[in-house]
Coordinates of all heavy atoms in Angstrom, one line a residue:
V44 N 57.6 -4.5 -10.6 CA 58.5 -5.8 -10.1 C 59.9 -5.7 -10.8 O 60.9 -6.0 -10.1 CB 57.7 -7.0 -10.7 CG1 58.6 -8.2 -10.4 CG2 56.4 -7.1 -9.8
I45 N 60.0 -5.4 -11.9 CA 61.3 -5.4 -12.7 C 62.2 -4.2 -12.3 O 63.4 -4.2 -12.6 CB 61.2 -5.7 -14.2 CG1 60.5 -4.4 -14.8 CG2 60.4 -6.9 -14.5 CD1 60.4 -4.5 -16.4
S46 N 61.6 -3.1 -11.8 CA 62.4 -1.9 -11.6 C 63.2 -2.1 -10.4 O 62.6 -2.4 -9.3 CB 61.5 -0.7 -11.5 OG 62.2 0.4 -11.1
P47 N 64.5 -1.7 -10.3 CA 65.2 -1.8 -9.1 C 64.9 -0.8 -8.1 O 65.2 -0.9 -6.9 CB 66.7 -1.6 -9.6 CG 66.5 -0.8 -10.9 CD 65.2 -1.2 -11.5
D48 N 64.1 0.3 -8.5 CA 63.9 1.4 -7.5 C 62.3 1.5 -7.6 O 61.6 1.2 -8.5 CB 64.5 2.6 -8.0 CG 66.0 2.6 -8.1 OD1 66.6 2.1 -7.0 OD2 66.6 3.0 -9.0
P49 N 61.9 2.0 -6.4 CA 60.3 2.1 -6.3 C 59.9 3.3 -7.4 O 60.7 4.2 -7.6 CB 60.1 2.8 -4.8 CG 61.3 2.3 -4.1 CD 62.5 2.3 -5.1
L50 N 58.7 3.0 -8.0 CA 58.2 3.9 -9.1 C 57.0 4.7 -8.6 O 56.2 4.1 -7.9 CB 57.9 2.9 -10.3 CG 58.9 2.2 -11.0 CD1 58.4 1.4 -12.2 CD2 60.0 3.1 -11.5
D51 N 57.0 5.8 -8.9 CA 55.9 6.7 -8.6 C 54.8 6.6 -9.7 O 54.5 7.7 -10.4 CB 56.3 8.1 -8.3 CG 55.2 9.0 -7.7 OD1 54.1 8.3 -7.2 OD2 55.3 10.1 -7.6
I52 N 54.2 5.5 -10.1 CA 53.3 5.4 -11.1 C 52.0 4.9 -10.6 O 51.2 4.4 -11.5 CB 53.8 4.4 -12.2 CG1 54.2 3.1 -11.6 CG2 55.1 5.1 -12.9 CD1 54.5 2.1 -12.7
G53 N 51.7 4.8 -9.4 CA 50.5 4.4 -8.8 C 49.3 5.3 -9.3 O 48.2 4.7 -9.4
F54 N 49.6 6.4 -9.8 CA 48.4 7.3 -10.3 C 47.8 6.7 -11.4 O 46.7 6.9 -11.8 CB 49.0 8.7 -10.6 CG 49.8 8.8 -11.7 CD1 49.4 9.0 -13.0 CD2 51.2 8.5 -11.5 CE1 50.3 9.1 -14.0 CE2 52.1 8.7 -12.6 CZ 51.6 8.9 -13.7
V55 N 48.6 5.9 -12.2 CA 48.0 5.3 -13.5 C 46.9 4.3 -13.1 O 45.8 4.1 -13.9 CB 49.1 4.6 -14.3 CG1 48.6 3.8 -15.5 CG2 50.1 5.6 -14.7
L56 N 47.1 3.7 -12.0 CA 45.9 2.7 -11.6 C 44.6 3.3 -11.3 O 43.7 2.8 -11.4 CB 46.5 1.9 -10.4 CG 47.7 1.1 -10.5 CD1 48.1 0.5 -9.1 CD2 47.4 0.1 -11.4
G57 N 44.6 4.6 -11.0 CA 43.4 5.4 -10.8 C 42.5 5.4 -12.0 O 41.3 5.7 -11.8
A58 N 43.2 5.3 -13.1 CA 42.3 5.4 -14.4 C 41.7 4.1 -14.8 O 40.9 4.1 -15.6 CB 43.3 5.9 -15.5
I59 N 42.0 3.0 -14.0 CA 41.6 1.7 -14.5 C 40.1 1.5 -14.2 O 39.4 1.2 -15.3 CB 42.4 0.6 -13.9 CG1 43.9 0.5 -14.5 CG2 41.7 -0.8 -14.1 CD1 44.7 -0.4 -13.9
P60 N 39.6 1.8 -13.1 CA 38.1 1.7 -12.9 C 37.2 2.5 -13.9 O 36.3 2.0 -14.4 CB 37.8 2.0 -11.4 CG 39.1 1.9 -10.8 CD 40.2 2.1 -11.8
P61 N 37.6 3.9 -14.1 CA 36.8 4.5 -15.0 C 36.8 4.0 -16.5 O 35.8 4.0 -17.2 CB 37.4 6.0 -15.0 CG 38.1 6.1 -13.7 CD 38.4 4.8 -13.4
L62 N 38.0 3.6 -16.9 CA 38.0 2.9 -18.2 C 37.2 1.7 -18.3 O 36.6 1.2 -19.4 CB 39.6 2.6 -18.5 CG 40.4 3.8 -18.8 CD1 41.8 3.4 -19.0 CD2 40.0 4.4 -20.1
A63 N 37.1 1.0 -17.1 CA 36.4 -0.3 -17.1 C 34.7 0.0 -17.4 O 34.1 -0.8 -17.8 CB 36.5 -1.2 -15.8
V64 N 34.4 1.2 -16.9 CA 33.0 1.5 -17.1 C 32.5 1.4 -18.6 O 31.4 1.2 -18.9 CB 32.7 3.0 -16.5 CG1 31.3 3.5 -16.8 CG2 33.0 3.0 -14.9
L65 N 33.4 1.8 -19.4 CA 33.2 1.9 -20.9 C 32.8 0.5 -21.4 O 32.1 0.4 -22.4 CB 34.4 2.5 -21.7 CG 34.8 3.8 -21.4 CD1 36.0 4.2 -22.1 CD2 33.7 4.8 -21.6
S66 N 33.3 -0.6 -20.9 CA 33.1 -1.9 -21.5 C 32.5 -3.0 -20.6 O 31.9 -3.9 -21.1 CB 34.6 -2.4 -21.9 OG 35.2 -1.5 -22.7
Y67 N 32.6 -2.9 -19.2 CA 32.2 -3.9 -18.3 C 31.0 -3.5 -17.5 O 30.6 -2.3 -17.1 CB 33.4 -4.3 -17.5 CG 34.6 -4.8 -18.4 CD1 35.7 -4.1 -18.5 CD2 34.5 -6.1 -18.9 CE1 36.8 -4.5 -19.4 CE2 35.6 -6.6 -19.5 CZ 36.7 -5.8 -19.9 OH 37.8 -6.3 -20.6
G68 N 30.4 -4.6 -16.9 CA 29.3 -4.4 -16.0 C 29.8 -4.1 -14.6 O 31.0 -4.0 -14.4
P69 N 29.0 -3.9 -13.7 CA 29.4 -3.6 -12.3 C 30.2 -4.6 -11.6 O 31.2 -4.2 -10.8 CB 28.1 -3.3 -11.5 CG 27.0 -4.0 -12.3 CD 27.4 -4.0 -13.8
L70 N 30.0 -5.9 -11.8 CA 30.8 -7.0 -11.2 C 32.2 -6.8 -11.7 O 33.1 -6.9 -10.9 CB 30.2 -8.3 -11.4 CG 28.9 -8.5 -10.7 CD1 28.4 -10.0 -11.0 CD2 29.0 -8.3 -9.2
A71 N 32.6 -6.9 -12.9 CA 33.8 -6.8 -13.5 C 34.6 -5.5 -13.2 O 35.8 -5.5 -12.9 CB 33.7 -7.0 -15.0
T72 N 33.8 -4.4 -13.0 CA 34.4 -3.1 -12.7 C 34.8 -3.2 -11.3 O 36.0 -2.6 -10.9 CB 33.3 -1.9 -13.0 OG1 33.0 -1.9 -14.4 CG2 33.8 -0.6 -12.5
A73 N 34.1 -3.8 -10.3 CA 34.3 -3.9 -9.0 C 35.5 -4.8 -8.8 O 36.5 -4.5 -8.0 CB 33.1 -4.5 -8.2
L74 N 35.6 -5.8 -9.6 CA 36.8 -6.8 -9.5 C 38.1 -6.0 -10.0 O 39.2 -6.0 -9.1 CB 36.6 -7.9 -10.4 CG 37.8 -8.9 -10.6 CD1 38.2 -9.6 -9.3 CD2 37.5 -10.0 -11.6
L75 N 37.9 -5.3 -11.0 CA 39.3 -4.5 -11.3 C 39.5 -3.4 -10.4 O 40.8 -3.2 -10.0 CB 39.0 -3.8 -12.8 CG 39.0 -4.8 -13.9 CD1 38.5 -4.2 -15.3 CD2 40.4 -5.2 -14.2
G76 N 38.5 -2.7 -9.8 CA 38.8 -1.7 -8.8 C 39.4 -2.3 -7.5 O 40.3 -1.8 -6.9
G77 N 39.0 -3.6 -7.2 CA 39.6 -4.3 -6.0 C 41.0 -4.7 -6.2 O 41.8 -4.6 -5.5
L78 N 41.3 -5.1 -7.5 CA 42.7 -5.4 -7.9 C 43.6 -4.2 -7.8 O 44.7 -4.3 -7.4 CB 42.7 -6.1 -9.3 CG 42.2 -7.5 -9.3 CD1 42.0 -7.8 -10.8 CD2 42.9 -8.5 -8.5
V79 N 43.1 -3.0 -8.2 CA 43.8 -1.8 -8.2 C 44.3 -1.5 -6.6 O 45.4 -1.1 -6.4 CB 43.1 -0.6 -8.8 CG1 43.6 0.7 -8.4 CG2 43.0 -0.8 -10.3
V80 N 43.2 -1.6 -5.8 CA 43.6 -1.3 -4.4 C 44.6 -2.4 -3.8 O 45.4 -2.0 -3.0 CB 42.3 -1.4 -3.6 CG1 42.6 -1.3 -2.1 CG2 41.3 -0.3 -4.0
V81 N 44.4 -3.6 -4.2 CA 45.5 -4.8 -3.7 C 46.8 -4.3 -4.2 O 47.7 -4.5 -3.5 CB 44.9 -6.1 -4.2 CG1 46.0 -7.1 -4.0 CG2 43.6 -6.4 -3.6
V82 N 46.9 -4.0 -5.4 CA 48.2 -3.6 -6.1 C 48.9 -2.5 -5.3 O 50.1 -2.4 -4.9 CB 48.1 -3.3 -7.5 CG1 49.5 -2.8 -8.1 CG2 47.9 -4.7 -8.3
L83 N 48.0 -1.6 -5.0 CA 48.5 -0.3 -4.3 C 49.1 -0.6 -2.9 O 50.0 -0.1 -2.4 CB 47.5 0.8 -4.3 CG 47.2 1.5 -5.5 CD1 46.0 2.6 -5.3 CD2 48.4 2.5 -5.8
V84 N 48.5 -1.5 -2.2 CA 48.8 -1.8 -0.8 C 49.7 -2.9 -0.7 O 50.2 -3.1 0.5 CB 47.5 -1.9 0.1 CG1 46.7 -0.8 0.0 CG2 46.8 -3.3 -0.4
T85 N 50.1 -3.6 -1.8 CA 51.0 -4.8 -1.7 C 52.4 -4.1 -1.7 O 52.9 -3.7 -2.6 CB 50.8 -5.8 -2.8 OG1 49.4 -6.3 -2.8 CG2 51.7 -7.0 -2.7
P86 N 53.2 -4.6 -0.6 CA 54.5 -4.0 -0.5 C 55.4 -4.5 -1.6 O 56.3 -3.8 -2.0 CB 55.0 -4.6 0.9 CG 53.7 -4.9 1.7 CD 52.7 -5.3 0.6
A87 N 55.2 -5.7 -2.1 CA 56.1 -6.2 -3.2 C 56.1 -5.3 -4.4 O 57.2 -5.2 -5.2 CB 55.7 -7.6 -3.6
F88 N 55.1 -4.5 -4.6 CA 55.1 -3.6 -5.9 C 55.7 -2.2 -5.7 O 56.1 -1.6 -6.5 CB 53.6 -3.3 -6.4 CG 53.0 -4.7 -6.9 CD1 52.0 -5.3 -6.2 CD2 53.4 -5.2 -8.1 CE1 51.4 -6.4 -6.6 CE2 52.9 -6.4 -8.5 CZ 51.9 -7.0 -7.8
R89 N 55.9 -1.9 -4.4 CA 56.8 -0.7 -3.9 C 56.3 0.5 -4.8 O 57.1 1.3 -5.5 CB 58.2 -1.0 -4.2 CG 58.8 -2.1 -3.4 CD 60.2 -2.4 -3.8 NE 60.4 -2.6 -5.1 CZ 61.4 -2.5 -5.8 NH1 62.6 -2.1 -5.2 NH2 61.5 -3.0 -7.2
L90 N 55.0 0.8 -4.9 CA 54.5 1.9 -5.6 C 54.5 3.2 -4.8 O 53.5 3.9 -4.6 CB 53.0 1.6 -6.1 CG 53.0 0.5 -7.1 CD1 51.5 0.3 -7.4 CD2 53.7 0.9 -8.3
D91 N 55.8 3.5 -4.3 CA 56.1 4.7 -3.5 C 55.1 4.9 -2.3 O 54.7 6.0 -2.0 CB 56.1 5.9 -4.5 CG 56.9 7.0 -4.0 OD1 57.9 6.8 -3.2 OD2 56.5 8.2 -4.4
D92 N 54.8 3.8 -1.7 CA 54.0 3.9 -0.3 C 52.9 4.9 -0.3 O 53.0 6.0 0.2 CB 55.0 4.3 0.7 CG 56.0 3.2 1.1 OD1 55.7 1.9 0.7 OD2 57.2 3.5 1.3
P93 N 51.8 4.7 -1.1 CA 50.7 5.6 -1.1 C 50.2 5.9 0.2 O 50.0 4.9 1.0 CB 49.6 5.0 -2.1 CG 50.0 3.5 -2.2 CD 51.6 3.5 -2.0
G94 N 49.8 7.0 0.5 CA 49.2 7.4 1.8 C 47.8 7.1 1.9 O 47.1 6.7 0.8
N95 N 47.2 7.4 3.1 CA 45.7 7.0 3.2 C 44.9 7.8 2.3 O 43.9 7.3 1.8 CB 45.3 7.1 4.7 CG 45.9 6.3 5.7 OD1 46.3 5.1 5.2 ND2 46.2 6.7 6.9
T96 N 45.2 9.1 2.1 CA 44.4 10.0 1.2 C 44.4 9.4 -0.2 O 43.4 9.4 -0.9 CB 45.1 11.4 1.2 OG1 45.1 11.9 2.7 CG2 44.1 12.3 0.3
D97 N 45.6 9.0 -0.7 CA 45.6 8.4 -2.1 C 44.8 7.1 -2.2 O 44.1 6.9 -3.1 CB 47.0 8.1 -2.4 CG 47.9 9.4 -2.6 OD1 47.3 10.4 -2.8 OD2 49.1 9.2 -2.3
L98 N 44.8 6.2 -1.1 CA 44.1 5.0 -1.1 C 42.7 5.4 -1.1 O 41.7 4.7 -1.8 CB 44.4 4.1 0.0 CG 45.9 3.5 -0.1 CD1 46.2 2.7 1.2 CD2 45.9 2.4 -1.2
L99 N 42.3 6.2 -0.2 CA 40.8 6.7 -0.2 C 40.3 7.2 -1.4 O 39.1 7.0 -1.8 CB 40.6 7.6 1.1 CG 40.7 7.0 2.5 CD1 40.5 8.2 3.5 CD2 39.7 5.9 2.7
T100 N 41.1 8.0 -2.1 CA 40.8 8.6 -3.4 C 40.5 7.5 -4.4 O 39.5 7.4 -5.0 CB 41.7 9.6 -3.9 OG1 41.9 10.6 -3.0 CG2 41.4 10.1 -5.1
V101 N 41.4 6.6 -4.6 CA 41.3 5.5 -5.5 C 40.1 4.6 -5.2 O 39.3 4.2 -6.0 CB 42.7 4.7 -5.5 CG1 42.4 3.3 -6.3 CG2 43.8 5.5 -6.0
L102 N 40.0 4.3 -3.9 CA 38.9 3.5 -3.4 C 37.4 4.2 -3.7 O 36.5 3.6 -4.3 CB 38.9 3.2 -2.0 CG 37.7 2.2 -1.4 CD1 37.8 1.0 -2.0 CD2 37.9 2.2 0.1
F103 N 37.4 5.6 -3.6 CA 36.2 6.4 -3.9 C 35.9 6.3 -5.5 O 34.7 6.1 -5.9 CB 36.3 7.8 -3.4 CG 35.1 8.7 -3.9 CD1 33.9 8.6 -3.3 CD2 35.4 9.5 -5.0 CE1 33.0 9.5 -3.7 CE2 34.3 10.3 -5.3 CZ 33.1 10.2 -4.7
V104 N 37.0 6.4 -6.2 CA 36.9 6.3 -7.7 C 36.3 5.0 -8.2 O 35.5 4.9 -9.0 CB 38.1 6.8 -8.4 CG1 38.1 6.5 -9.9 CG2 38.5 8.1 -8.1
A105 N 36.9 4.0 -7.5 CA 36.4 2.6 -7.9 C 34.9 2.4 -7.5 O 34.3 1.8 -8.4 CB 37.4 1.5 -7.0
L106 N 34.6 2.9 -6.3 CA 33.2 2.6 -6.0 C 32.3 3.5 -6.9 O 31.2 3.0 -7.3 CB 32.9 3.1 -4.5 CG 33.7 2.1 -3.4 CD1 33.4 2.7 -2.0 CD2 33.0 0.7 -3.6
L107 N 32.6 4.7 -7.2 CA 31.8 5.4 -8.1 C 31.8 4.8 -9.5 O 30.8 4.9 -10.1 CB 32.5 7.0 -8.2 CG 31.8 7.9 -9.1 CD1 30.3 8.2 -8.6 CD2 32.6 9.2 -9.1
S108 N 32.9 4.3 -9.9 CA 32.9 3.6 -11.2 C 31.9 2.4 -11.2 O 31.2 2.1 -12.3 CB 34.3 3.1 -11.6 OG 35.3 4.1 -11.7
V109 N 31.8 1.7 -10.2 CA 30.9 0.6 -10.0 C 29.4 1.2 -10.2 O 28.7 0.5 -11.0 CB 31.0 -0.3 -8.7 CG1 29.9 -1.2 -8.6 CG2 32.3 -0.9 -8.7
V110 N 29.1 2.2 -9.6 CA 27.8 2.8 -9.6 C 27.5 3.3 -11.1 O 26.4 2.9 -11.7 CB 27.7 3.9 -8.7 CG1 26.3 4.7 -8.9 CG2 27.7 3.6 -7.4
L111 N 28.5 3.9 -11.8 CA 28.4 4.5 -13.0 C 28.2 3.2 -14.0 O 27.4 3.3 -15.0 CB 29.5 5.3 -13.5 CG 29.7 6.7 -12.8 CD1 30.9 7.2 -13.3 CD2 28.5 7.4 -13.1
S112 N 29.0 2.2 -13.7 CA 28.8 0.9 -14.6 C 27.4 0.4 -14.5 O 26.9 -0.1 -15.5 CB 29.9 -0.1 -14.3 OG 29.7 -1.2 -15.1
F113 N 26.8 0.4 -13.3 CA 25.5 -0.1 -13.2 C 24.5 0.6 -13.9 O 23.6 0.1 -14.7 CB 25.2 -0.2 -11.7 CG 23.7 -0.5 -11.4 CD1 23.3 -1.9 -11.4 CD2 22.8 0.4 -11.1 CE1 22.0 -2.2 -11.2 CE2 21.5 0.0 -10.9 CZ 21.2 -1.3 -10.8
V114 N 24.7 2.0 -13.8 CA 23.8 2.9 -14.5 C 23.9 2.8 -16.1 O 22.8 2.7 -16.8 CB 24.0 4.3 -14.0 CG1 23.2 5.4 -14.9 CG2 23.7 4.6 -12.6
R115 N 25.1 2.7 -16.5 CA 25.4 2.5 -18.0 C 24.7 1.2 -18.4 O 24.2 1.2 -19.5 CB 26.9 2.6 -18.3 CG 27.3 2.4 -19.8 CD 28.7 2.1 -20.0 NE 29.1 0.9 -19.4 CZ 28.7 -0.3 -19.8 NH1 28.1 -0.5 -20.9 NH2 29.3 -1.4 -19.3
S116 N 25.0 0.1 -17.7 CA 24.4 -1.2 -18.2 C 23.0 -1.1 -18.3 O 22.4 -1.7 -19.1 CB 24.9 -2.3 -17.1 OG 26.2 -2.4 -17.2
R117 N 22.3 -0.5 -17.3 CA 20.8 -0.4 -17.3 C 20.4 0.4 -18.5 O 19.3 0.1 -19.1 CB 20.3 0.1 -16.0 CG 20.4 -0.8 -14.8 CD 19.5 -2.0 -14.9 NE 18.1 -1.6 -15.0 CZ 17.5 -1.6 -13.8 NH1 18.0 -1.7 -12.6 NH2 16.1 -1.2 -14.0
R118 N 21.0 1.5 -18.6 CA 20.7 2.4 -19.8 C 20.8 1.7 -21.1 O 20.1 1.8 -22.1 CB 21.6 3.7 -19.7 CG 21.2 4.7 -20.8 CD 22.4 5.6 -21.1 NE 23.5 4.9 -21.6 CZ 24.7 5.3 -21.8 NH1 24.9 6.5 -21.6 NH2 25.7 4.5 -22.3
D119 N 22.1 1.0 -21.3 CA 22.3 0.3 -22.5 C 21.3 -0.8 -22.8 O 20.8 -1.0 -23.9 CB 23.6 -0.3 -22.5 CG 24.9 0.7 -22.7 OD1 24.5 1.9 -22.9 OD2 26.0 0.3 -22.5
A120 N 20.9 -1.5 -21.8 CA 19.9 -2.5 -22.0 C 18.6 -1.9 -22.5 O 17.9 -2.4 -23.3 CB 19.6 -3.2 -20.6
Q121 N 18.1 -0.7 -21.9 CA 17.0 0.0 -22.3 C 17.1 0.4 -23.9 O 16.1 0.4 -24.6 CB 16.7 1.1 -21.3 CG 15.3 1.9 -21.6 CD 14.2 1.0 -21.5 OE1 14.1 0.2 -20.7 NE2 13.0 1.4 -22.3
L122 N 18.2 1.0 -24.2 CA 18.4 1.5 -25.4 C 18.4 0.4 -26.4 O 17.9 0.5 -27.6 CB 19.8 2.3 -25.5 CG 20.0 3.7 -24.9 CD1 21.3 4.1 -24.9 CD2 18.9 4.5 -25.4
V123 N 19.0 -0.9 -26.0 CA 18.9 -1.9 -27.0 C 17.5 -2.4 -27.2 O 17.1 -2.7 -28.3 CB 19.6 -3.2 -26.4 CG1 19.4 -4.4 -27.2 CG2 21.2 -2.8 -26.4
T124 N 16.6 -2.4 -26.1 CA 15.3 -2.7 -26.4 C 14.6 -1.7 -27.2 O 13.8 -2.1 -28.1 CB 14.5 -2.8 -25.0 OG1 15.3 -3.8 -24.1 CG2 13.1 -3.1 -25.1
E125 N 14.7 -0.5 -27.0 CA 14.1 0.7 -27.8 C 14.6 0.5 -29.2 O 13.7 0.7 -30.2 CB 14.2 2.0 -27.2 CG 13.6 2.2 -25.7 CD 14.0 3.5 -25.2 OE1 14.8 4.2 -25.7 OE2 13.5 3.7 -24.2
R126 N 15.8 0.3 -29.4 CA 16.4 0.3 -30.7 C 15.8 -0.9 -31.5 O 15.5 -0.9 -32.7 CB 17.9 0.3 -30.7 CG 18.5 0.4 -32.3 CD 19.8 0.7 -32.2 NE 20.3 0.9 -33.6 CZ 20.2 2.0 -34.4 NH1 19.6 3.1 -33.8 NH2 20.5 2.0 -35.6

Side-chain angles (χ1 to χ4, degrees):
V44 168
I45 65 176
S46 175
D48 300 313
L50 296 177
D51 190 12
I52 58 173
F54 66 92
V55 176
L56 296 174
I59 291 177
L62 288 174
V64 173
L65 298 175
S66 306
Y67 297 103
L70 291 178
T72 302
L74 175 61
L75 286 168
L78 290 175
V79 165
V80 174
V81 169
V82 171
L83 282 173
V84 300
T85 300
F88 293 111
R89 300 174 301 157
L90 293 175
D91 204 23
D92 297 326
N95 291 332
T96 302
D97 295 333
L98 285 175
L99 289 174
T100 300
V101 172
L102 184 60
F103 173 77
V104 170
L106 292 174
L107 181 61
S108 298
V109 172
V110 174
L111 293 176
S112 178
F113 174 78
V114 173
R115 181 195 59 78
S116 298
R117 293 291 299 271
R118 183 205 61 187
D119 287 354
Q121 180 66 25
L122 288 176
V123 167
T124 301
E125 292 177 357
R126 184 168 184 84

